[in-house]
Amino acid sequence: MTVARTVELEGHIIDSGIMQQCFETVMEMGGNFDVEEFDVGRHKDAESYARLRIVADDEETLQSIVHELHQIGVNPTEPQDAQLEPAPEDQVVPTGFYSTTNHPTQIRVDGEWWDVEDMEMDCAVVVDRETGTATTKVLNAIDEDDLVVVGEAGIRVDPPERPRDGGGPFGFMQGGVSAERPSESLIAEVADAMQETKDEGGKILAVAGPALIHSGAGDALAALVREGYIDGLSAGNGFAVHDVERGMYGTSLGMDIETLEHPRKGHKHHIYAISEVIRSGSIPEAIEDGKIQEGVMYECVQNDVDYVLAGSIRDDGPLPDTISDTVEAQNAIREQAHEADMVLMMSTLLHSVAVGNCLPSTTKVVCVDINPATVTQLLDRGSAQAIGMVTDIGTFVPTLAENLLGDEAGEETGIYE
């Protein structure tokens, strides 16, 4: 005896590969399907529609197939209201709770579809009938008696689709990860996308690793902060220490950025820099004391650009500004991520994945690293919208700044000397 369920998918399901992925998923998981209806869009703006009958040998297999299909935007034809159960206690969700994707999601409550706010992956969905809202919550934020969505009934997921013409401000970003595409032309297109984001009133978040400073690209990023192209910075203690050391001593990990030489006792500069900031009390106070007069952190403070420095077990110091509590750091990163319309991830695997986990799939992401594995891991973790550029960060950031600020502005900031 077999069991069956009817599902449907619509949109640019052919161009985006969703329909093929649907077929492959069903067959790989031991099911079969019948295409009951298939309407193909006849021009580039037209959407397609397909209705499928999924068949499996038992209910457990069928449910597993439907679960996987749901993650890519395949939904039941006869939706029911979402099942809601109260959380039994703080930080404890009901068994079988719905674990979110990072795609735009709706849930059906009392016969109406509600948009789920603050979308990010690996969360629960909590419903508040009094305010008429549904929102994501990480597990450690669950309160006792929160109404949590359980199962997968009454839930619709809408993954982003690839446009047929590859158009739009991010139309150039259709090639995944490549080290062979021309870097200069791609960087110019990233600059155009950033400019369009700013022109539309959007916010750009920079996620940066210490290699950015060590490669000599710090002045270029500082210039982008100063000129208003960066609205937030997400980094670790190491990035800030490198940058502060550069501002105080002209070195990064003891190496002179200009001459590439290692001055005597230069290896102690990073710990000296940390000590001086601790002595002042914080990075802003060290700037006020005149100890730091340039750099990315300097420009963030001077231009009221929000920054989050998340700590790790490896941190020297750490700086007073670094958030050492993991949960507190996650919450600060999450708040930044939810406000971003575009994210530049530059030479940092750990922070790129951390921020990527908090982003909805509608946020534009450019990940730049000399190691293609960084972008691959980001994609594997679920940030499928990320576009990778495999290039030297010391080339990328100054070239990006040149495209956005122009030669004259670049000369004034000294980033091309």
Side-chain angles (χ1 to χ4, degrees), residues 202-266:
K203 292 185 177 182
I204 299 174
L205 174 65
V207 183
L212 190 149
I213 304 298
H214 202 60
S215 68
D219 287 345
L221 182 58
L224 291 173
V225 173
R226 182 166 57 251
E227 298 301 322
Y229 284 98
I230 303 298
D231 301 283
L233 173 69
S234 182
N237 185 74
F239 173 87
V241 171
H242 277 52
D243 181 67
V244 169
E245 178 192 342
R246 168 80 168 90
M248 287 184 174
Y249 302 104
T251 60
S252 174
L253 280 182
M255 183 187 75
D256 189 301
I257 296 297
E258 305 298 333
T259 66
L260 304 184
E261 295 177 349
H262 291 266
R264 187 170 178 270
K265 294 186 178 181

Short mmCIF file of all heavy atoms in Angstrom, two decimals, residues 202-266:
data_model
loop_
_atom_site.label_atom_id
_atom_site.label_comp_id
_atom_site.label_asym_id
_atom_site.label_seq_id
_atom_site.Cartn_x
_atom_site.Cartn_y
_atom_site.Cartn_z
N GLY A 202 19.97 51.90 1.01
CA GLY A 202 20.30 50.65 1.67
C GLY A 202 21.54 50.74 2.54
O GLY A 202 22.29 51.74 2.47
N LYS A 203 21.77 49.70 3.33
CA LYS A 203 22.93 49.66 4.23
C LYS A 203 23.88 48.54 3.81
O LYS A 203 23.45 47.46 3.43
CB LYS A 203 22.47 49.44 5.67
CG LYS A 203 21.70 50.63 6.26
CD LYS A 203 21.39 50.41 7.73
CE LYS A 203 20.70 51.62 8.34
NZ LYS A 203 20.43 51.45 9.78
N ILE A 204 25.18 48.84 3.89
CA ILE A 204 26.21 47.89 3.52
C ILE A 204 27.02 47.52 4.76
O ILE A 204 27.51 48.39 5.48
CB ILE A 204 27.13 48.47 2.44
CG1 ILE A 204 26.33 48.79 1.17
CG2 ILE A 204 28.27 47.49 2.11
CD1 ILE A 204 27.13 49.50 0.09
N LEU A 205 27.13 46.22 4.99
CA LEU A 205 27.88 45.69 6.13
C LEU A 205 29.18 45.09 5.63
O LEU A 205 29.18 44.29 4.69
CB LEU A 205 27.07 44.64 6.86
CG LEU A 205 27.74 43.88 8.01
CD1 LEU A 205 28.08 44.81 9.16
CD2 LEU A 205 26.85 42.73 8.49
N ALA A 206 30.30 45.46 6.24
CA ALA A 206 31.60 44.87 5.93
C ALA A 206 31.95 43.85 6.99
O ALA A 206 31.90 44.14 8.18
CB ALA A 206 32.68 45.95 5.85
N VAL A 207 32.30 42.63 6.56
CA VAL A 207 32.77 41.58 7.45
C VAL A 207 34.23 41.35 7.10
O VAL A 207 34.54 40.93 5.98
CB VAL A 207 31.95 40.28 7.27
CG1 VAL A 207 32.40 39.22 8.26
CG2 VAL A 207 30.46 40.57 7.42
N ALA A 208 35.13 41.64 8.03
CA ALA A 208 36.55 41.70 7.67
C ALA A 208 37.41 40.86 8.60
O ALA A 208 37.17 40.79 9.81
CB ALA A 208 37.02 43.15 7.69
N GLY A 209 38.45 40.25 8.02
CA GLY A 209 39.42 39.49 8.78
C GLY A 209 40.74 40.22 8.89
O GLY A 209 41.00 41.19 8.16
N PRO A 210 41.64 39.80 9.79
CA PRO A 210 42.92 40.48 10.00
C PRO A 210 43.79 40.57 8.76
O PRO A 210 44.58 41.49 8.62
CB PRO A 210 43.60 39.61 11.08
CG PRO A 210 42.49 38.88 11.75
CD PRO A 210 41.46 38.66 10.71
N ALA A 211 43.64 39.60 7.82
CA ALA A 211 44.46 39.61 6.61
C ALA A 211 44.25 40.88 5.80
O ALA A 211 45.14 41.30 5.05
CB ALA A 211 44.16 38.38 5.75
N LEU A 212 43.08 41.48 5.95
CA LEU A 212 42.81 42.73 5.21
C LEU A 212 43.80 43.81 5.63
O LEU A 212 44.35 44.53 4.79
CB LEU A 212 41.37 43.18 5.46
CG LEU A 212 40.84 44.33 4.60
CD1 LEU A 212 39.34 44.17 4.38
CD2 LEU A 212 41.13 45.69 5.23
N ILE A 213 44.06 43.93 6.92
CA ILE A 213 45.02 44.92 7.41
C ILE A 213 46.44 44.49 7.05
O ILE A 213 47.25 45.28 6.56
CB ILE A 213 44.90 45.10 8.94
CG1 ILE A 213 43.47 45.48 9.33
CG2 ILE A 213 45.91 46.14 9.44
CD1 ILE A 213 42.99 46.79 8.76
N HIS A 214 46.74 43.22 7.24
CA HIS A 214 48.09 42.71 7.01
C HIS A 214 48.49 42.84 5.55
O HIS A 214 49.67 42.96 5.23
CB HIS A 214 48.15 41.25 7.47
CG HIS A 214 49.53 40.77 7.79
ND1 HIS A 214 50.31 41.35 8.77
CD2 HIS A 214 50.28 39.78 7.26
CE1 HIS A 214 51.48 40.73 8.83
NE2 HIS A 214 51.49 39.77 7.91
N SER A 215 47.50 42.80 4.65
CA SER A 215 47.79 42.90 3.22
C SER A 215 47.98 44.34 2.75
O SER A 215 48.31 44.57 1.59
CB SER A 215 46.66 42.26 2.41
OG SER A 215 45.47 43.05 2.53
N GLY A 216 47.74 45.30 3.64
CA GLY A 216 47.89 46.70 3.27
C GLY A 216 46.64 47.36 2.76
O GLY A 216 46.69 48.49 2.24
N ALA A 217 45.48 46.69 2.89
CA ALA A 217 44.23 47.24 2.36
C ALA A 217 43.45 48.06 3.39
O ALA A 217 42.37 48.55 3.09
CB ALA A 217 43.35 46.10 1.86
N GLY A 218 44.01 48.23 4.59
CA GLY A 218 43.29 48.93 5.65
C GLY A 218 42.95 50.36 5.31
O GLY A 218 41.86 50.85 5.61
N ASP A 219 43.90 51.09 4.67
CA ASP A 219 43.64 52.49 4.33
C ASP A 219 42.49 52.62 3.36
O ASP A 219 41.70 53.57 3.43
CB ASP A 219 44.90 53.13 3.74
CG ASP A 219 45.98 53.38 4.79
OD1 ASP A 219 45.65 53.33 5.99
OD2 ASP A 219 47.14 53.62 4.40
N ALA A 220 42.38 51.68 2.42
CA ALA A 220 41.30 51.73 1.44
C ALA A 220 39.95 51.49 2.11
O ALA A 220 38.97 52.18 1.82
CB ALA A 220 41.55 50.70 0.34
N LEU A 221 39.90 50.51 3.03
CA LEU A 221 38.64 50.27 3.74
C LEU A 221 38.30 51.46 4.63
O LEU A 221 37.13 51.86 4.73
CB LEU A 221 38.74 48.99 4.58
CG LEU A 221 37.47 48.60 5.34
CD1 LEU A 221 36.30 48.42 4.40
CD2 LEU A 221 37.70 47.32 6.15
N ALA A 222 39.31 52.05 5.26
CA ALA A 222 39.07 53.24 6.08
C ALA A 222 38.48 54.37 5.25
O ALA A 222 37.58 55.09 5.70
CB ALA A 222 40.38 53.69 6.74
N ALA A 223 38.96 54.52 4.02
CA ALA A 223 38.43 55.55 3.13
C ALA A 223 36.97 55.29 2.78
O ALA A 223 36.16 56.21 2.72
CB ALA A 223 39.28 55.63 1.85
N LEU A 224 36.62 54.02 2.55
CA LEU A 224 35.23 53.68 2.25
C LEU A 224 34.32 53.96 3.44
O LEU A 224 33.18 54.41 3.28
CB LEU A 224 35.13 52.21 1.84
CG LEU A 224 35.76 51.84 0.49
CD1 LEU A 224 35.74 50.33 0.28
CD2 LEU A 224 35.02 52.54 -0.65
N VAL A 225 34.83 53.71 4.64
CA VAL A 225 34.06 54.03 5.84
C VAL A 225 33.87 55.55 5.93
O VAL A 225 32.76 56.04 6.15
CB VAL A 225 34.76 53.51 7.11
CG1 VAL A 225 34.04 54.00 8.36
CG2 VAL A 225 34.82 51.98 7.10
N ARG A 226 34.96 56.29 5.75
CA ARG A 226 34.92 57.75 5.87
C ARG A 226 33.96 58.38 4.86
O ARG A 226 33.26 59.36 5.17
CB ARG A 226 36.32 58.31 5.69
CG ARG A 226 36.41 59.83 5.83
CD ARG A 226 37.84 60.31 5.98
NE ARG A 226 38.68 59.88 4.87
CZ ARG A 226 39.63 58.97 4.95
NH1 ARG A 226 39.85 58.33 6.10
NH2 ARG A 226 40.37 58.65 3.90
N GLU A 227 33.91 57.81 3.65
CA GLU A 227 33.08 58.39 2.59
C GLU A 227 31.65 57.87 2.60
O GLU A 227 30.87 58.19 1.71
CB GLU A 227 33.72 58.12 1.23
CG GLU A 227 35.09 58.75 1.05
CD GLU A 227 35.07 60.26 1.21
OE1 GLU A 227 34.09 60.89 0.74
OE2 GLU A 227 36.02 60.81 1.80
N GLY A 228 31.29 57.07 3.60
CA GLY A 228 29.90 56.67 3.79
C GLY A 228 29.44 55.45 3.05
O GLY A 228 28.23 55.18 2.96
N TYR A 229 30.38 54.64 2.53
CA TYR A 229 29.99 53.45 1.80
C TYR A 229 29.84 52.21 2.69
O TYR A 229 29.33 51.19 2.25
CB TYR A 229 31.00 53.15 0.68
CG TYR A 229 30.83 54.07 -0.51
CD1 TYR A 229 31.63 55.20 -0.66
CD2 TYR A 229 29.84 53.83 -1.45
CE1 TYR A 229 31.46 56.06 -1.73
CE2 TYR A 229 29.67 54.67 -2.53
CZ TYR A 229 30.48 55.79 -2.67
OH TYR A 229 30.30 56.64 -3.73
N ILE A 230 30.30 52.30 3.91
CA ILE A 230 30.19 51.21 4.86
C ILE A 230 29.36 51.68 6.05
O ILE A 230 29.68 52.68 6.68
CB ILE A 230 31.57 50.73 5.35
CG1 ILE A 230 32.45 50.30 4.17
CG2 ILE A 230 31.42 49.60 6.36
CD1 ILE A 230 31.91 49.14 3.37
N ASP A 231 28.29 50.94 6.34
CA ASP A 231 27.37 51.34 7.42
C ASP A 231 27.54 50.52 8.68
O ASP A 231 26.98 50.85 9.72
CB ASP A 231 25.92 51.21 6.93
CG ASP A 231 25.66 52.07 5.70
OD1 ASP A 231 25.51 53.29 5.86
OD2 ASP A 231 25.61 51.51 4.59
N GLY A 232 28.30 49.44 8.60
CA GLY A 232 28.54 48.61 9.76
C GLY A 232 29.76 47.73 9.53
O GLY A 232 30.08 47.39 8.39
N LEU A 233 30.43 47.39 10.60
CA LEU A 233 31.62 46.53 10.53
C LEU A 233 31.44 45.38 11.50
O LEU A 233 31.15 45.58 12.68
CB LEU A 233 32.88 47.32 10.90
CG LEU A 233 34.17 46.50 11.04
CD1 LEU A 233 34.63 45.99 9.67
CD2 LEU A 233 35.27 47.34 11.69
N SER A 234 31.61 44.16 10.99
CA SER A 234 31.57 42.96 11.82
C SER A 234 32.91 42.27 11.70
O SER A 234 33.35 41.92 10.60
CB SER A 234 30.44 42.02 11.36
OG SER A 234 30.37 40.89 12.19
N ALA A 235 33.60 42.11 12.82
CA ALA A 235 34.95 41.55 12.79
C ALA A 235 35.26 40.90 14.13
O ALA A 235 34.38 40.78 14.99
CB ALA A 235 35.96 42.65 12.46
N GLY A 236 36.50 40.51 14.28
CA GLY A 236 36.94 39.92 15.53
C GLY A 236 37.99 40.77 16.21
O GLY A 236 38.43 41.80 15.68
N ASN A 237 38.41 40.35 17.37
CA ASN A 237 39.44 41.05 18.12
C ASN A 237 40.71 41.22 17.29
O ASN A 237 41.34 42.28 17.30
CB ASN A 237 39.74 40.27 19.40
CG ASN A 237 40.72 40.97 20.31
OD1 ASN A 237 40.38 41.94 20.98
ND2 ASN A 237 41.96 40.48 20.37
N GLY A 238 41.07 40.18 16.52
CA GLY A 238 42.30 40.21 15.73
C GLY A 238 42.31 41.32 14.71
O GLY A 238 43.33 42.00 14.52
N PHE A 239 41.19 41.52 14.01
CA PHE A 239 41.12 42.60 13.02
C PHE A 239 41.36 43.94 13.68
O PHE A 239 42.16 44.76 13.20
CB PHE A 239 39.75 42.61 12.33
CG PHE A 239 39.55 43.79 11.42
CD1 PHE A 239 39.97 43.73 10.10
CD2 PHE A 239 38.97 44.96 11.89
CE1 PHE A 239 39.81 44.83 9.26
CE2 PHE A 239 38.80 46.05 11.06
CZ PHE A 239 39.23 45.99 9.73
N ALA A 240 40.66 44.20 14.78
CA ALA A 240 40.79 45.50 15.45
C ALA A 240 42.20 45.70 15.98
O ALA A 240 42.76 46.80 15.91
CB ALA A 240 39.77 45.61 16.57
N VAL A 241 42.82 44.64 16.53
CA VAL A 241 44.19 44.75 17.05
C VAL A 241 45.16 45.08 15.92
O VAL A 241 46.02 45.96 16.06
CB VAL A 241 44.60 43.46 17.78
CG1 VAL A 241 46.09 43.50 18.11
CG2 VAL A 241 43.79 43.29 19.05
N HIS A 242 45.05 44.38 14.79
CA HIS A 242 45.91 44.67 13.64
C HIS A 242 45.76 46.13 13.22
O HIS A 242 46.73 46.83 12.94
CB HIS A 242 45.53 43.77 12.46
CG HIS A 242 46.14 42.41 12.50
ND1 HIS A 242 46.05 41.58 13.58
CD2 HIS A 242 46.86 41.73 11.56
CE1 HIS A 242 46.66 40.45 13.32
NE2 HIS A 242 47.17 40.51 12.11
N ASP A 243 44.51 46.58 13.16
CA ASP A 243 44.23 47.93 12.70
C ASP A 243 44.76 48.98 13.68
O ASP A 243 45.35 49.99 13.27
CB ASP A 243 42.72 48.11 12.51
CG ASP A 243 42.35 49.49 12.02
OD1 ASP A 243 42.71 49.83 10.87
OD2 ASP A 243 41.71 50.24 12.79
N VAL A 244 44.55 48.76 14.97
CA VAL A 244 45.03 49.69 15.99
C VAL A 244 46.56 49.71 16.01
O VAL A 244 47.19 50.78 16.11
CB VAL A 244 44.46 49.32 17.37
CG1 VAL A 244 45.16 50.11 18.47
CG2 VAL A 244 42.96 49.57 17.42
N GLU A 245 47.17 48.54 15.91
CA GLU A 245 48.63 48.47 15.84
C GLU A 245 49.15 49.25 14.63
O GLU A 245 50.14 49.98 14.73
CB GLU A 245 49.09 47.00 15.74
CG GLU A 245 50.60 46.85 15.61
CD GLU A 245 51.02 45.44 15.24
OE1 GLU A 245 50.22 44.50 15.40
OE2 GLU A 245 52.17 45.28 14.76
N ARG A 246 48.47 49.09 13.52
CA ARG A 246 48.85 49.82 12.30
C ARG A 246 48.76 51.33 12.54
O ARG A 246 49.64 52.09 12.14
CB ARG A 246 47.92 49.41 11.15
CG ARG A 246 47.98 50.28 9.91
CD ARG A 246 49.16 49.95 9.04
NE ARG A 246 49.03 50.59 7.74
CZ ARG A 246 49.49 51.80 7.46
NH1 ARG A 246 50.08 52.53 8.38
NH2 ARG A 246 49.35 52.31 6.25
N GLY A 247 47.70 51.77 13.20
CA GLY A 247 47.53 53.19 13.46
C GLY A 247 48.54 53.75 14.44
O GLY A 247 48.96 54.90 14.33
N MET A 248 48.95 52.93 15.41
CA MET A 248 49.88 53.40 16.44
C MET A 248 51.35 53.28 16.01
O MET A 248 52.15 54.18 16.27
CB MET A 248 49.67 52.60 17.73
CG MET A 248 48.41 52.94 18.49
SD MET A 248 48.36 52.01 20.06
CE MET A 248 46.89 52.72 20.81
N TYR A 249 51.68 52.16 15.36
CA TYR A 249 53.09 51.86 15.12
C TYR A 249 53.44 51.67 13.63
O TYR A 249 54.62 51.50 13.30
CB TYR A 249 53.49 50.58 15.88
CG TYR A 249 53.26 50.67 17.36
CD1 TYR A 249 52.18 50.01 17.95
CD2 TYR A 249 54.10 51.42 18.19
CE1 TYR A 249 51.95 50.08 19.32
CE2 TYR A 249 53.88 51.49 19.56
CZ TYR A 249 52.81 50.83 20.11
OH TYR A 249 52.59 50.90 21.47
N GLY A 250 52.44 51.67 12.78
CA GLY A 250 52.71 51.46 11.36
C GLY A 250 53.00 50.03 10.99
O GLY A 250 53.46 49.75 9.88
N THR A 251 52.74 49.10 11.92
CA THR A 251 53.02 47.69 11.67
C THR A 251 51.75 46.85 11.83
O THR A 251 50.78 47.28 12.44
CB THR A 251 54.09 47.15 12.64
OG1 THR A 251 53.61 47.30 13.99
CG2 THR A 251 55.40 47.89 12.47
N SER A 252 51.79 45.65 11.29
CA SER A 252 50.74 44.65 11.49
C SER A 252 51.43 43.35 11.83
O SER A 252 52.21 42.83 11.03
CB SER A 252 49.90 44.50 10.21
OG SER A 252 48.96 43.45 10.36
N LEU A 253 51.18 42.85 13.05
CA LEU A 253 51.92 41.70 13.57
C LEU A 253 53.42 41.92 13.48
O LEU A 253 54.19 41.02 13.14
CB LEU A 253 51.52 40.42 12.82
CG LEU A 253 50.22 39.74 13.26
CD1 LEU A 253 50.00 38.46 12.48
CD2 LEU A 253 50.21 39.45 14.75
N GLY A 254 53.82 43.15 13.74
CA GLY A 254 55.23 43.48 13.77
C GLY A 254 55.85 43.79 12.44
O GLY A 254 57.03 44.19 12.38
N MET A 255 55.12 43.64 11.33
CA MET A 255 55.66 43.93 10.00
C MET A 255 55.26 45.32 9.55
O MET A 255 54.08 45.69 9.64
CB MET A 255 55.16 42.91 8.98
CG MET A 255 55.75 43.10 7.59
SD MET A 255 54.99 42.03 6.35
CE MET A 255 53.41 42.85 6.10
N ASP A 256 56.25 46.10 9.08
CA ASP A 256 55.97 47.42 8.54
C ASP A 256 55.19 47.25 7.23
O ASP A 256 55.67 46.63 6.29
CB ASP A 256 57.28 48.18 8.27
CG ASP A 256 57.04 49.63 7.92
OD1 ASP A 256 56.33 49.87 6.92
OD2 ASP A 256 57.56 50.52 8.61
N ILE A 257 53.97 47.80 7.19
CA ILE A 257 53.10 47.61 6.03
C ILE A 257 53.70 48.23 4.77
O ILE A 257 53.52 47.72 3.66
CB ILE A 257 51.71 48.23 6.30
CG1 ILE A 257 51.01 47.49 7.45
CG2 ILE A 257 50.84 48.16 5.05
CD1 ILE A 257 50.72 46.05 7.18
N GLU A 258 54.45 49.33 4.93
CA GLU A 258 55.01 50.03 3.77
C GLU A 258 56.26 49.35 3.24
O GLU A 258 56.42 49.13 2.04
CB GLU A 258 55.33 51.49 4.14
CG GLU A 258 54.15 52.27 4.71
CD GLU A 258 53.00 52.39 3.73
OE1 GLU A 258 53.27 52.35 2.51
OE2 GLU A 258 51.85 52.52 4.18
N THR A 259 57.20 49.00 4.13
CA THR A 259 58.49 48.47 3.69
C THR A 259 58.57 46.95 3.73
O THR A 259 59.51 46.36 3.18
CB THR A 259 59.62 49.02 4.59
OG1 THR A 259 59.46 48.51 5.92
CG2 THR A 259 59.56 50.54 4.63
N LEU A 260 57.58 46.31 4.39
CA LEU A 260 57.54 44.86 4.58
C LEU A 260 58.71 44.37 5.45
O LEU A 260 59.02 43.18 5.48
CB LEU A 260 57.54 44.11 3.24
CG LEU A 260 56.42 44.48 2.26
CD1 LEU A 260 56.49 43.59 1.03
CD2 LEU A 260 55.05 44.36 2.93
N GLU A 261 59.33 45.29 6.18
CA GLU A 261 60.42 44.92 7.07
C GLU A 261 59.88 44.70 8.48
O GLU A 261 58.78 45.14 8.82
CB GLU A 261 61.49 46.02 7.09
CG GLU A 261 62.18 46.22 5.75
CD GLU A 261 63.17 47.37 5.79
OE1 GLU A 261 63.16 48.13 6.81
OE2 GLU A 261 63.94 47.52 4.83
N HIS A 262 60.68 44.03 9.30
CA HIS A 262 60.30 43.77 10.68
C HIS A 262 61.21 44.59 11.60
O HIS A 262 62.35 44.20 11.86
CB HIS A 262 60.43 42.28 11.01
CG HIS A 262 59.41 41.43 10.32
ND1 HIS A 262 58.22 41.07 10.90
CD2 HIS A 262 59.40 40.90 9.07
CE1 HIS A 262 57.51 40.33 10.06
NE2 HIS A 262 58.22 40.21 8.94
N PRO A 263 60.73 45.74 12.07
CA PRO A 263 61.56 46.57 12.94
C PRO A 263 61.86 45.86 14.27
O PRO A 263 61.15 44.95 14.68
CB PRO A 263 60.70 47.81 13.18
CG PRO A 263 59.30 47.38 12.89
CD PRO A 263 59.39 46.31 11.84
N ARG A 264 62.93 46.32 14.90
CA ARG A 264 63.33 45.73 16.18
C ARG A 264 62.20 45.85 17.20
O ARG A 264 61.58 46.90 17.34
CB ARG A 264 64.59 46.45 16.68
CG ARG A 264 65.22 45.82 17.92
CD ARG A 264 66.58 46.44 18.20
NE ARG A 264 67.18 45.88 19.40
CZ ARG A 264 66.99 46.38 20.62
NH1 ARG A 264 66.25 47.46 20.78
NH2 ARG A 264 67.57 45.83 21.68
N LYS A 265 61.92 44.78 17.88
CA LYS A 265 60.83 44.67 18.86
C LYS A 265 59.45 44.85 18.23
O LYS A 265 58.46 45.04 18.93
CB LYS A 265 61.01 45.69 20.00
CG LYS A 265 62.23 45.43 20.87
CD LYS A 265 62.26 46.37 22.06
CE LYS A 265 63.47 46.07 22.96
NZ LYS A 265 63.51 46.95 24.13
N GLY A 266 59.40 44.78 16.89
CA GLY A 266 58.11 44.93 16.22
C GLY A 266 57.11 43.86 16.59
O GLY A 266 55.89 44.09 16.57
#
